[in-house]
Amino acid sequence: MGHLTAKDAYKSLEERINWFTQGAPPTETLYQILRVLYSEEEAKWMALLPIRPFTVKKAARVWDTSEAKAERFLNHLCEKALLVDSEYEGIRKFVMPPPMAGFFEFALMRTRGDIDQKYLSELYYQYMNVEEDFIKDLFWATETKLGRVYVQEPVLTNRQTNHILDYERASHIIDEASHIGLGTCYCRHKAFHAGHPCEIDAPWDVCLTFGNVARSLAEHGGHARLISKEEAMDALERSYEANLVQIGENVREDPAFICNCCGCCCEALQAARRFRPMQPVATTNYLPQISWDKCVACGKCAKVCPILAIEIKESKKKGKKRAVVDTDICLGCGVCARNCSFGAIEMKRRPIQVVTPVTSTHRFVLQAIEKGTLPNLIFDNQAFASHRAMAAVFGVILKLPPLKQALASKQLKSVYLDRLLSSLLNTERKKEEKPAE
């Protein structure tokens, strides 16, 4: 590896991070954050890694070092949660997570002595809550959102429960997960150290991760603790009781996380308050409907609404006060319905249903199309039919004139890519279920 100065190392790392569709706008605060999380040597080596999953052999070749040395360093980076690893058919691979949801949060998902967590929290607060570029880029640079809200299942009636889809249920995500990790809430941990403790004193030990991310964070550095499905449901119930909002990865299948969020600490919910009516995350398919006859204008629903979408207003026609929901900004979480003692709030299906990407790959591609960073996503694993198919599809799209490319993007989002991925996933599942000969 060639010689790099410290300044060059962190600049190269910043540029590497911004290969992601979701990046991190460069400011002096970002460089201070990177200096806390990465040593100069780590920054130098991380800046050379590819964006796609890679093997030890690939890292050794990129770094021009032995595989043994490369593996030791990769393990070290996993211990710091700067990389996550996975294994498929006996081959171990690594990938660098994006800033969020990713290595920013991982640094505060447990108490650590190797970094100054108070200083890091203050830097995070400056970068995300004072400076606005990162938050605006994170939540509004693409039409397809990073996260989506789950409706609180206990507030739904039996009739409504019959119509809720499996992927809309946080309980279903827990039940289907191969691994479940429980960690410290990054948002409340950060806010506490930054001098802005949670206003509702919500629990910290409710951050849920799933699948490979959960396993990697648990096995390397203890950033999460592997738990049972029963423990995960307990975390969910405790979050319901604390009036927290469930925000997970915006995919139908195998989401990597579900955060249990408060309006005072969560960046997404804070953004919903500050930049209304723009919505930073995908809503549920529900909206609260308030009964004129049952509402007594007690104001409790307005008080607990995490994004301040409810007000108590007086009606000139009816001559009485009642709670009114701003449906343009409402996330449909159901916290208000859970807290109504008079049964005046019922969750109803939205007239226009929200479209959710199928998988993480689907979401990545949609966001890359929208942001113009598609060339940074390289589908190089030719062993998988889905990678080969998508490489061919997007190779054609990139050759289209701008107007046709824009139209193709919308078509892909609404029809073709969804069907392509669903078909490929079904094919791969059937192969897995087929008995060995």
Side-chain angles (χ1 to χ4, degrees), residues 113-404:
D114 61 323
I115 57 176
D116 186 335
Q117 292 186 303
K118 185 177 188 305
Y119 177 57
L120 179 61
S121 297
E122 291 168 346
L123 291 175
Y124 280 164
Y125 189 86
Q126 173 67 27
Y127 191 55
M128 299 175 206
N129 299 83
V130 179
E131 302 171 15
E132 297 181 346
D133 287 348
F134 176 77
I135 291 298
K136 288 180 178 178
D137 184 72
L138 177 66
F139 293 128
W140 293 294
T142 59
E143 181 182 344
T144 301
K145 304 302 182 184
L146 166 66
R148 67 182 176 97
V149 180
Y150 290 82
V151 66
Q152 292 202 358
E153 297 168 52
V155 306
L156 301 180
T157 64
N158 290 336
R159 175 170 51 82
Q160 293 162 339
T161 302
N162 290 335
H163 292 90
I164 186 172
L165 301 173
D166 281 345
Y167 72 84
E168 296 178 299
R169 302 172 183 263
S171 61
H172 174 77
I173 303 305
I174 290 172
D175 191 54
E176 292 291 303
S178 59
H179 299 84
I180 306 173
L182 185 70
T184 296
C185 171
Y186 142 83
C187 293
R188 288 186 279 282
H189 193 184
K190 176 204 74 174
F192 172 79
H193 283 302
H196 305 276
C198 180
E199 295 171 3
I200 62 173
D201 195 26
W204 288 20
D205 58 333
V206 291
C207 180
L208 296 171
T209 49
F210 302 105
N212 176 67
V213 173
R215 181 207 51 77
S216 185
L217 291 175
E219 290 182 359
H220 305 292
H223 294 82
R225 175 175 64 87
L226 291 181
I227 61 173
S228 66
K229 293 176 181 178
E230 290 74 21
E231 287 178 282
M233 285 303 300
D234 175 70
L236 190 61
E237 290 296 333
R238 288 188 290 114
S239 298
Y240 287 161
E241 291 292 336
N243 293 325
L244 301 181
V245 179
Q246 289 66 56
I247 300 179
E249 184 184 4
N250 185 27
V251 295
R252 293 183 224 165
E253 301 184 4
D254 303 318
F257 65 90
I258 292 181
C259 300
N260 290 288
C261 307
C262 56
C264 51
C265 299
C266 170
E267 273 90 19
L269 298 182
Q270 279 286 302
R273 291 183 178 191
R274 291 169 58 194
F275 302 107
R276 58 173 57 188
M278 295 189 296
Q279 290 172 321
V281 291
T283 69
T284 74
N285 277 310
Y286 292 85
L287 278 172
Q289 182 173 301
I290 300 177
S291 167
W292 271 104
D293 296 330
K294 295 180 180 179
C295 179
V296 298
C298 67
K300 189 172 183 180
C301 58
K303 182 178 180 181
V304 298
C305 177
I307 62 166
L308 311 178
I310 302 178
E311 292 184 76
I312 304 300
K313 294 185 177 180
E314 185 171 352
S315 170
K316 294 180 180 179
K317 290 184 179 180
K318 298 281 186 176
K320 62 172 285 188
K321 291 183 178 181
R322 62 159 272 187
V324 177
V325 179
D326 185 341
T327 56
D328 288 337
I329 65 173
C330 177
L331 299 176
C333 64
V335 170
C336 57
R338 181 183 180 86
N339 282 272
C340 182
S341 304
F342 301 93
I345 305 178
E346 186 177 1
M347 302 302 292
K348 299 281 191 177
R349 295 288 289 192
R350 290 178 185 263
I352 300 177
Q353 297 299 282
V354 179
V355 176
T356 304
V358 182
T359 63
S360 296
T361 300
H362 188 181
R363 177 176 65 79
F364 291 155
V365 172
L366 295 182
Q367 291 180 314
I369 291 172
E370 293 161 1
K371 199 173 182 181
T373 59
L374 189 58
N376 294 342
L377 295 179
I378 304 171
F379 298 96
D380 64 330
N381 192 339
Q382 295 299 307
F384 293 97
S386 58
H387 282 229
R388 292 198 301 273
M390 283 190 287
V393 169
F394 294 116
V396 172
I397 289 174
L398 287 175
K399 296 176 183 178
L400 294 174
L403 180 57
K404 290 184 178 180

Side-chain angles (χ1 to χ4, degrees), residues 21-82:
T21 298
Q22 178 227 121
T27 70
E28 181 54 38
T29 306
L30 174 66
Y31 285 110
Q32 291 175 327
I33 290 171
L34 296 180
R35 291 185 187 101
V36 173
L37 297 178
Y38 300 83
S39 70
E40 182 182 340
E41 180 186 28
E42 291 164 353
K44 291 176 183 178
W45 286 48
M46 288 286 286
L48 298 174
L49 294 175
I51 193 169
R52 61 192 182 278
F54 57 89
T55 61
V56 171
K57 185 175 183 179
K58 174 67 173 178
R61 186 162 64 248
V62 168
W63 289 339
D64 191 22
T65 188
S66 69
E67 290 187 27
K69 183 176 180 180
E71 186 167 25
R72 285 195 299 272
F73 198 69
L74 290 171
N75 286 333
H76 167 72
L77 294 171
C78 285
E79 288 291 320
K80 296 184 69 174
L82 299 175

Side-chain angles (χ1 to χ4, degrees), residues 1-21:
M1 182 169 58
H3 175 71
L4 290 172
T5 65
K7 182 178 180 180
D8 289 337
Y10 290 107
K11 175 61 179 175
S12 297
L13 177 59
E14 172 262 306
E15 291 174 350
R16 165 64 181 80
I17 291 169
N18 280 297
W19 289 358
F20 289 111
T21 298

